[in-house]
Each structure stands twice: as structure tokens, then as C-alpha cells.
Amino acid sequence: MAYHQPIDGSYDIEVTELDYRLNPGIAYEENGVKITHWPALHVIDGAISYRLDWNGLSFVWSGDTEPNQFFVENAQNVDLIMHETFPSLMRFEEVYPGTEQSYEGNVSTSHTTALCYGKVLSLTRPRYAVTNHCVVDDQEVAAIISDIRVNWKGPYQIGSDFMVFTVSKDAITARR
């Protein structure tokens, strides 16, 4: 059975522009919930990463970004990090032959390799780390995990659509 979302009013949204240059900026702060943001480095100016703090717990979302000091500064010792991860050059060229220049452009202006993400994790020390927004097939999973593990030995997994994380002071669990 297909699920259909009613469209009446679905595009009626209120937009609040944030100054992407702030480090950190405040996106939201009310009732004990605080969401900060900072610049993400992604091909053109305007991309941001977010941190949610609530009830002594924290969550960070990278968005598309190359590794950067803004992220490392703002994601220290969080409970859960979700960070995009770009495939390795070898895997990228297997899928898209003759595209080394395109790969280098994507990585140098927009994305983070698994090896670099592992380094970011070793610098931020989260309780739990997740790869998101990554083209993953069965051949890529082992390479991503192997590259992450060069620099990060802590709790880690590759995320997928409809994954739910439960974060408490005692544990972090994932389910689909």
C-alpha cells in the first residue's frame, strides 16, 4: 500500500534566514532547547551545520561539508554526530570511470571522505557517530568502515533512511 501525504498547506512554511557566517549563531532558543549553527564549507557560501542541545543531551548534523575547524570546535563531546561521507576515489572511479577531476573537485569544495570523517571524530570525541548522505552499496560499506576506523575506534555506524536514534544519558540506540 502506498502512503500519500496530503498536499494541502504543505508548502505553507515560515522561513527564518540565518547568517551563515556566525560561529556559532543561534537558530533557536526556547523552553530549554538550543539550536546553534556555524558555517559548513560547501562549494558556495551559505551552507551551515547545526547543534541541538536539550536536557543535557546533544546532537550535531553536518550537512554537506568538507572537513573544517568550525565543525571540530562546535561538535566537541556531543552525544550523537551525523556527518555526510563521500565515497573513496577508487570506488567513485569504479562507478563513474574517468572522473578523477570531478571527484577531486567534489571533495575539495564540498564533501568529507570517510578517512577524514574518522579524523574529525577523533578530534570531537562523540558518544556515537553516524555516516549519512552517502551513496552506499555493498562494496562501499566495508571501505567506509575501514577508512573511518583508521582514526576512530568509538561507536559508529552507517545510517539509512527511516533510522531512528534514541539518545539518553545512559545509552544511544538505533533502530529501523
Side-chain angles (χ1 to χ4, degrees):
M1 175 166 58
Y3 174 77
H4 298 282
Q5 179 70 24
I7 61 169
D8 292 344
S10 63
Y11 292 105
D12 298 340
I13 61 172
E14 184 179 317
V15 175
T16 302
E17 290 189 32
L18 303 172
D19 185 349
Y20 72 92
R21 298 166 295 190
L22 297 177
N23 178 34
I26 304 295
Y28 180 88
E29 189 168 18
E30 194 170 313
N31 298 322
V33 175
K34 184 176 183 181
I35 302 173
T36 54
H37 66 88
W38 57 89
L41 305 182
H42 187 261
V43 85
I44 58 173
D45 288 340
I48 55 179
S49 297
Y50 294 96
R51 177 178 176 140
L52 165 66
D53 288 284
W54 173 77
N55 199 25
L57 301 169
S58 54
F59 165 72
V60 168
W61 175 268
S62 74
D64 284 0
T65 187
E66 59 185 280
N68 65 81
Q69 192 62 35
F70 299 125
F71 191 89
V72 170
E73 289 170 4
N74 289 286
Q76 289 295 307
N77 302 305
V78 299
D79 294 299
L80 177 63
I81 284 182
M82 288 188 181
H83 198 293
E84 67 94 15
T85 310
F86 210 67
S88 69
L89 172 58
M90 181 176 15
R91 185 69 186 126
F92 192 82
E93 285 197 317
E94 285 175 11
V95 176
Y96 305 104
T99 59
E100 184 172 346
Q101 183 177 7
S102 170
Y103 178 89
E104 293 299 329
N106 271 295
V107 170
S108 68
T109 64
S110 302
H111 298 286
T112 302
T113 64
L115 188 63
C116 291
Y117 181 30
K119 181 64 174 178
V120 167
L121 293 173
S122 74
L123 295 170
T124 57
R125 299 171 308 283
R127 284 179 52 208
Y128 199 98
V130 178
T131 282
N132 70 301
H133 187 58
C134 180
V135 178
V136 177
D137 58 28
D138 291 341
Q139 294 176 5
E140 186 64 16
V141 169
I144 289 171
I145 293 170
S146 176
D147 283 353
I148 291 284
R149 292 296 183 210
V150 168
N151 292 304
W152 176 249
K153 308 297 187 225
Y156 166 79
Q157 76 175 70
I158 295 175
S160 63
D161 290 345
F162 305 111
M163 188 168 266
V164 175
F165 294 89
T166 302
V167 179
S168 72
K169 292 181 187 341
D170 299 323
I172 300 174
T173 58
R175 69 184 192 282
R176 289 188 177 95

